[in-house]
Amino acid sequence: MINPDPALLQAASEVRLKAYAPYSKFPVGAAIRTLSGKIFVGCNVENVAYPEGTCAEAGAIAAMIAGGEVQIAEILVIADSPEPIPPCGGCRQKIAEFAGQGVPVTLCTTDGKARDLTVADLLPGAFDSHHMDRAK
Ligand code: THU
């Protein structure tokens, strides 16, 4: 039985209600706790030109960077879905930019289901800067 962090869960749940998702009608909330203990939130923001929409995780990361922090200690994502939703491929790479492999990722549903993963579970074999070691 997983007990999501109550403050992160509340923050993600609240920001989810602010999502702009008129096309998918699928609001998503994300909350990041940084190493300093601060919480940053984001929601999905869709666009009539569909590929221009952004995910909740990307919004939370942007808020974290704008807040002057770069290290994710924990991230939680919530949606009204039958099962906890897995972050999309692009967001996995975005999360991995700012989180160590062992950082917990908690995926929640609005009806109380939760799944606990790590960044390594989301993106095994991630591309990172050491792959560019020969680049000059
Ligand atoms: N979405 C997120 O915000 N995060 C996820 O982890 C998966 C999907 C959004 C993108 C789009 O606005 C809507 O959910 C449907 O794909």
Side-chain angles (χ1 to χ4, degrees), residues 10 14 21 26 39 42 44 49 55 57 60 82 85 89 107 114 131:
Q10 190 182 337
E14 282 178 13
F26 188 67
I39 292 178
N44 50 335
C55 289
E57 295 90 327
I85 57 159
L107 308 174
H131 292 107

Side-chain angles (χ1 to χ4, degrees), residues 28-55:
V28 182
I32 289 170
R33 177 177 285 112
T34 55
L35 285 187
S36 75
K38 279 194 196 155
I39 292 178
F40 296 94
V41 297
C43 54
N44 50 335
V45 181
E46 297 183 349
N47 193 281
V48 65
Y50 293 176
E52 298 304 324
T54 51
C55 289

